[in-house]
Amino acid sequence: MESYEPERLSPVQLAAMRRSLTSGRGALTRRSLLRASGMGALALGGIATLGACGIPPAGRAEGAAADDDHSEKEKEVTFSNWTEYMDVSDDEKSRPTLEAFTKRTGIRVKYTEDINDNVEFFGKIKPQLAAGQNTGRDLICVTDWLAARIIRLGWAQKLDPSNLPHAFAGVSAQFRTPDWDPGRAYSYPWTGIPTVIAYNAKATGDRKVDSVTQLLDDPKLKGRVSFLSEMRDTIGMTLLDQGKDPGKFTDADFDGAIGRLQKAVDKKQIRRFTGNDYTADLSKGDIAACVGWAGDIIQLQADNPDIKFAIPAAGYITSSDNLLVPAQARHKTNAEKLIDYYYEPPVAAQLAAYINYVCPVDGVRDELAKIDESMASNTLILPDREMAAKSRSFRSLSTEEETAYEEKFAKLIGA
């Protein structure tokens, strides 16, 4: 069993989380704007709670497997998810894919939209997990950094591949081997969340902007460029532009990225570092080009045909929201069957058509085209092979690294 030391949040980490809540990814809503949160939205009261609590972990036995799986006798599964992260019928009275699952399997799904942010949700379930108790949930959906923490602490059950034939075979290559769960032994992605370059073609004079180097050096963009106030996105995209792998970078690499950005700040190339509020400036043309979130771009393009996006040749950052079975869950097998169900291409397509996030399932294109051809051809929902190959993830950070990096980043952006 992995030893556990309370992960107390430093003042720098707390400041980064507050920044995410008030103006960053944590401030976004799920359907109207992309919530691509490295920290998630969080209640400020919950920050102090998380930073102060230090509770011993549950024991780990094959991934903290429950002593007794009641799936055979109890045909039910309790699933906690984010709001507006599941398909709904036109009359908004039913959830078609969930109802079809129950009809096919006889397993009743208690579906709850009780995740409003990662930190707050973790605060709810942490005492039970740490005490080795059932959380009352069989399946949860959390962002990659929190999924990594739960797995590291031994609070997720190791999944049985025999119950996951579609998921095991169908998870897209770009999501198959995160450094925090190689081979997806404990988790499967629900959605992918890309960070890309966006620009207003009218503001750029129809010039394409497709690299971080352009953002930082093009004199025609001076004073009309923005980067994100989320460290993982801005630093990750800059590392890629410098030929570094965000999944393997060193302290020196990080400092190099900070220095590169600082030069652009000093010469006033970068107008500002923003949260989701860059969208209004980009749409108006006050910001000509920026680093932004794919979900925002999909929304903006619906109202403004001048909004374009580009995938840099150097690559782009993708984070993910992930399904896990908590320790001591009563219905592990039923939860695994539900995970696998959403990896069947027709079901995955139906979900993707509703939520408009990157679908992590291979073989969905033809099924999605039957629903909406434009969605099937939108690489922000279904990345093509070339785009998927450019996807990179920001590596997991130790508490010490996160504190040091956030401190340097806060100084850069003037936070």
Side-chain angles (χ1 to χ4, degrees):
M1 170 185 164
E2 178 181 341
S3 61
Y4 173 68
E5 295 181 2
E7 296 187 66
R8 298 180 183 276
L9 301 180
S10 68
V12 172
Q13 288 174 290
L14 294 177
M17 290 170 136
R18 291 189 178 96
R19 190 167 64 243
S20 180
L21 171 62
T22 56
S23 64
R25 289 179 293 185
L28 308 183
T29 60
R30 283 207 164 255
R31 193 154 175 80
S32 62
L33 289 171
L34 182 63
R35 182 210 59 83
S37 178
M39 284 298 180
L42 61 139
L44 292 180
I47 297 176
T49 301
L50 179 62
C53 60
I55 307 170
R60 179 197 296 269
E62 284 301 305
D67 294 332
D68 188 10
D69 186 356
H70 299 265
S71 293
E72 185 63 31
K73 293 181 179 180
E74 299 174 5
K75 295 296 185 180
E76 60 185 81
V77 61
T78 301
F79 182 8
S80 284
N81 205 350
W82 298 81
T83 58
E84 300 191 43
Y85 228 18
M86 179 65 71
D87 57 302
V88 177
S89 61
D90 291 339
D91 62 9
E92 299 186 352
K93 293 181 179 180
S94 65
R95 302 186 184 279
T97 57
L98 287 177
E99 290 191 356
F101 173 78
T102 298
K103 184 176 180 180
R104 181 201 297 183
T105 64
I107 299 171
R108 182 176 61 87
V109 182
K110 181 181 178 182
Y111 184 76
T112 308
E113 295 179 324
D114 62 343
I115 304 179
N116 295 309
D117 62 73
N118 286 292
V119 173
E120 181 185 55
F121 181 69
F122 189 46
K124 288 180 183 178
I125 64 175
K126 183 176 181 178
Q128 294 157 307
L129 290 171
Q133 299 171 352
N134 178 15
T135 65
R137 301 166 176 87
D138 301 303
L139 192 62
I140 61 175
C141 182
V142 294
T143 305
D144 42 21
W145 70 268
L146 180 54
R149 179 175 294 179
I150 290 172
I151 292 169
R152 185 173 69 248
L153 294 173
W155 294 345
Q157 297 196 45
K158 192 170 186 179
L159 302 174
D160 183 352
S162 67
N163 292 326
L164 297 155
H166 295 96
F168 186 79
V171 62
S172 300
Q174 73 179 99
F175 297 105
R176 189 172 289 276
T177 55
D179 66 350
W180 45 270
D181 187 18
R184 292 290 181 179
Y186 295 90
S187 69
Y188 273 93
W190 182 249
T191 53
I193 307 166
T195 301
V196 299
I197 289 179
Y199 62 99
N200 184 317
K202 184 176 181 180
T204 65
D206 288 326
R207 292 169 59 248
K208 184 177 183 179
V209 181
D210 60 3
S211 73
V212 170
T213 292
Q214 262 183 288
L215 295 176
L216 295 177
D217 294 335
D218 187 341
K220 293 182 179 180
L221 297 176
K222 184 175 181 178
R224 298 190 296 154
V225 169
S226 69
F227 279 72
L228 294 168
S229 58
E230 298 281 353
M231 183 265 289
R232 287 167 174 79
D233 299 292
T234 287
I235 296 297
M237 293 291 281
T238 305
L239 285 168
L240 284 167
D241 190 70
Q242 294 180 304
K244 305 297 182 180
D245 184 350
K248 299 178 181 178
F249 68 89
T250 64
D251 288 347
D253 295 333
F254 184 91
D255 289 344
I258 288 285
R260 179 84 172 89
L261 290 161
Q262 186 65 58
K263 289 180 181 179
V265 170
D266 293 342
K267 67 181 183 181
K268 302 188 185 306
Q269 177 77 10
I270 297 176
R271 180 169 182 157
R272 63 193 182 105
F273 293 86
T274 75
N276 63 301
D277 49 330
Y278 72 90
T279 55
D281 286 344
L282 180 64
S283 188
K284 289 186 296 184
D286 292 340
I287 291 292
C290 63
V291 171
W293 295 305
D296 291 351
I297 309 313
I298 293 174
Q299 295 293 325
L300 291 176
Q301 286 178 328
D303 299 317
N304 187 342
D306 291 324
I307 303 302
K308 311 291 183 182
F309 78 93
I311 303 301
Y316 66 102
I317 294 293
T318 301
S319 57
S320 60
D321 284 335
N322 307 272
L323 301 172
L324 292 86
V325 178
Q328 309 306 324
R330 287 180 63 87
H331 310 107
K332 175 176 178 285
T333 299
N334 291 344
E336 290 168 339
K337 289 180 179 179
L338 186 58
I339 294 172
D340 196 61
Y341 170 72
Y342 278 101
Y343 272 78
E344 296 179 19
V347 181
Q350 190 171 347
L351 180 67
Y354 183 82
I355 66 175
N356 294 172
Y357 283 71
V358 169
C359 180
V361 183
D362 279 337
V364 171
R365 191 172 306 278
D366 290 345
E367 295 293 339
L368 187 55
K370 296 175 185 177
I371 302 171
D372 188 322
E373 181 62 45
S374 65
M375 288 186 183
S377 59
N378 189 333
T379 53
L380 294 182
I381 297 174
L382 290 184
D384 56 24
R385 184 174 299 178
E386 181 182 2
M387 180 172 168
K390 295 178 180 179
S391 173
R392 297 292 183 270
S393 297
F394 199 93
R395 71 171 173 82
S396 300
L397 302 178
S398 68
T399 300
E400 293 76 14
E401 285 178 322
E402 186 163 3
T403 296
Y405 293 166
E406 287 286 6
E407 185 173 10
K408 293 176 181 179
F409 186 70
K411 183 178 180 180
L412 168 73
I413 69 175

